[in-house]
Amino acid sequence: MATSLLLPIYPQSPRRSLARSYRWYPVRTGSKPVSLTVTKAQTSGGDGEESIVIVGAGIGGLATAVSLHRLGVRSVVLEQAESLRTGGTSLTLFKNGWRVLDAISVGPQLRTQFLEIEGMVVKNGDGKELRSFTFKDEDQSQEVRAVERRVLLETLANQLPPETIKFSSKLKTIQSNANGDTQLELEDGSKLLAKIVIGCDGIRSKVATWMGFSEPRYVGHCAFRGLGFYPEGQPFQNKVNYIYGRGIRAGYVPVSPTKVYWFICFNSPSLGPKITDPTILKRQAKELVSTWPKDLQDLIDLTPDETISRTPLVDRWLWPGVSPTASKGRVVLVGDAWHPMTPNLGQGACCALEDSVVLANKLAGAIKGGSESVEEAMESYGSERWSRAFPLTVRANLVGALLQWDNSLVCSVRDNVVIPKLVRLGPMLEHTNFECEPLFGSSET
């Protein structure tokens, strides 16, 4: 039988500062009656209580916190690092990602910093153009920009009230109690009792492991990534440039007037040793494409050491009836913690952003006295998002497998028939269709 859970709601609009007083709303849950005292989250010594705890301050975690904030719902974000993990390169956001960023009122701020990509060009390893596309010709509403991960994270973090993100808060153990609350123990020994836990802690998610999910599966490819810097201005058109070879492919795309993101994806039967020395990484990347167009070689040379990386590509297929569901009690997963996917469709970050607004809307409805309990809202989110995330994960995997073929005959057919004559970009971008309304809380809620 459903009972009530009291959660704090603060009146908030995207353009107003955080209200200092809370209003309390009864919320249906499927657990026994609970009593809630909200205090500041403890990061060293002692225990604390919080209503909603988000584990992980990556894209999914911060976007979920901002989405809840826009709807007037307070949360605390636990981040294991000492500060925002702003390393790495960039990510490509298609129109579905921008719909979410607009819904949480950060889209306009980000657009001014990054170039809109007009289309894409596909070449072979000799530099011969196989096909070119213009995004607007295929879909007038399409919007594509490569966004620096650092800037995106900082922009999202700046939308949150002070003290929302608790740094140096590495999760150690998770334990649920009889009334449905979840106790989180951190590495420093402190403990936090949460009414709702949202796991946004990435592909190696401790929350997902606790819920029974398997480790993500290595798909047989690794990728070098980097962010080239041209202090006098980069020379490329505003297009995605792809180069396909046998068992290897590369791409680069302008991010801003001075920065260009690049990647090299190559077949590898094993993960290989972990290498972090940028000099070695650059040398290995250049060796893979030593006979390819010089632009790519120069781009690697112009990459600052702190932006280059080599990572294995992994995913997790959420088989119906086999994989655990997205929620367990009042614990739920978002983004890579739930459905890691390969980057072949450019939808990993976009999907995490979609998750964030869908979950926030459903949780806010339950918290503010809607017809669903918190548990039911999470189950509804899981069902809705599974039908979106699972097909995209599978499709991204299959696209990657096709592009990584190393058979000479297959690659010849790909380069001379499939890409020049058969590929249609429009249907390949239908998965970027996603709509969501702006998120606004108000003092009248």
Side-chain angles (χ1 to χ4, degrees):
M1 181 176 180
T3 57
S4 292
L5 167 67
L6 293 179
L7 293 181
I9 313 294
Y10 52 73
Q12 180 70 27
S13 73
R15 298 175 180 83
R16 293 167 57 190
S17 61
L18 171 65
R20 295 299 179 186
S21 61
Y22 296 127
R23 298 201 297 164
W24 297 80
Y25 291 81
V27 182
R28 294 199 313 119
T29 76
S31 61
K32 299 176 182 178
V34 293
S35 174
L36 174 64
T37 302
V38 178
T39 65
K40 181 179 178 181
Q42 301 295 311
T43 56
S44 60
D47 293 354
E49 294 186 1
E50 284 292 346
S51 302
I52 301 178
V53 174
I54 297 171
V55 182
I59 294 169
L62 293 180
T64 301
V66 173
S67 297
L68 289 168
H69 177 58
R70 293 288 187 248
L71 293 168
V73 179
R74 180 178 180 272
S75 66
V76 165
V77 181
L78 303 182
E79 169 53 45
Q80 65 178 350
E82 296 179 355
S83 60
L84 284 180
R85 288 180 287 176
T86 55
T89 54
S90 74
L91 46 99
T92 302
L93 295 180
F94 289 81
K95 68 177 181 180
N96 51 328
W98 290 103
R99 295 292 185 273
V100 175
L101 294 175
D102 285 338
I104 60 177
S105 303
V106 298
Q109 180 179 347
L110 288 166
R111 281 188 182 90
T112 62
Q113 302 178 67
F114 303 105
L115 301 172
E116 181 168 9
I117 306 306
E118 300 169 358
M120 58 185 286
V121 178
V122 181
K123 300 178 181 180
N124 64 16
D126 296 327
K128 176 185 175 182
E129 183 174 317
L130 305 177
R131 189 81 177 271
S132 65
F133 303 90
T134 300
F135 290 129
K136 296 295 187 184
D137 288 346
E138 306 294 334
D139 178 1
Q140 279 293 323
S141 65
Q142 189 58 255
E143 179 178 6
V144 185
R145 298 172 196 266
V147 175
E148 283 188 71
R149 186 176 185 274
R150 173 188 62 81
V151 176
L152 177 57
L153 290 179
E154 291 174 349
T155 301
L156 291 171
N158 287 338
Q159 310 305 306
L160 296 170
E163 303 301 318
T164 296
I165 306 173
K166 308 299 180 183
F167 296 106
S168 301
S169 299
K170 185 176 182 179
L171 182 62
K172 182 179 180 181
T173 63
I174 306 171
Q175 184 176 354
S176 60
N177 60 22
N179 67 0
D181 293 347
T182 303
Q183 180 175 278
L184 306 174
E185 182 180 0
L186 306 184
E187 288 287 353
D188 65 3
S190 61
K191 296 178 181 179
L192 189 64
L193 190 64
K195 299 300 177 184
I196 294 170
V197 174
I198 305 174
C200 303
D201 46 340
I203 61 174
R204 306 299 178 193
S205 169
K206 287 189 176 180
V207 181
T209 299
W210 176 79
M211 292 173 63
F213 283 88
S214 61
E215 285 289 310
R217 181 182 63 91
Y218 175 56
V219 300
H221 324 312
C222 291
F224 288 99
R225 296 181 175 96
L227 192 63
F229 178 58
Y230 293 77
E232 303 300 322
Q234 50 89 3
F236 303 106
Q237 294 182 321
N238 293 355
K239 293 184 178 182
V240 184
N241 296 269
Y242 289 117
I243 307 171
Y244 295 156
R246 291 174 53 188
I248 182 172
R249 58 195 158 105
Y252 54 93
V253 56
V255 175
S256 69
T258 58
K259 296 179 180 180
V260 179
Y261 165 68
W262 62 268
F263 74 88
I264 300 171
C265 186
F266 61 99
N267 293 347
S268 178
S270 64
L271 300 178
K274 184 175 182 179
I275 300 173
T276 57
D277 186 327
T279 302
I280 297 176
L281 293 175
K282 282 186 180 182
R283 186 183 73 243
Q284 291 180 343
K286 291 182 66 175
E287 287 173 352
L288 285 171
V289 294
S290 60
T291 62
W292 285 16
K294 188 174 182 298
D295 285 346
L296 184 57
Q297 301 275 338
D298 294 341
L299 187 49
I300 296 171
D301 286 333
L302 291 169
T303 299
D305 289 350
E306 65 272 15
T307 73
I308 190 168
S309 65
R310 177 187 186 273
T311 54
L313 303 187
V314 301
D315 65 12
R316 179 192 289 131
W317 290 24
L318 303 174
W319 292 108
V322 178
S323 298
T325 57
S327 63
K328 179 180 179 181
R330 295 201 296 271
V331 180
V332 66
L333 298 174
V334 164
D336 284 347
W338 181 26
H339 49 70
M341 63 182 70
T342 54
N344 301 299
L345 298 179
Q347 286 298 299
C350 291
C351 249
L353 291 170
E354 290 181 14
D355 286 352
S356 69
V357 293
V358 173
L359 178 61
N361 269 316
K362 290 182 181 294
L363 282 182
I367 289 169
K368 295 182 180 181
S371 59
E372 290 186 322
S373 68
V374 169
E375 293 90 339
E376 289 168 341
M378 288 183 176
E379 290 171 3
S380 174
Y381 154 82
S383 176
E384 178 178 330
R385 293 302 301 160
W386 175 87
S387 63
R388 171 78 164 154
F390 180 52
L392 279 176
T393 303
V394 174
R395 186 176 177 184
N397 181 289
L398 295 177
V399 167
L402 291 172
L403 294 178
Q404 291 297 134
W405 270 333
D406 57 8
N407 180 280
S408 59
L409 177 60
V410 172
C411 290
S412 177
V413 173
R414 177 196 66 193
D415 294 350
N416 295 291
V417 180
V418 177
I419 292 176
K421 300 178 181 179
L422 300 181
V423 170
R424 294 177 57 214
L425 187 61
M428 293 179 63
L429 294 177
E430 288 181 354
H431 61 261
T432 64
N433 292 324
F434 178 80
E435 297 297 334
C436 57
E437 298 298 322
L439 306 187
F440 296 109
S442 70
S443 57
E444 288 76 35
T445 301

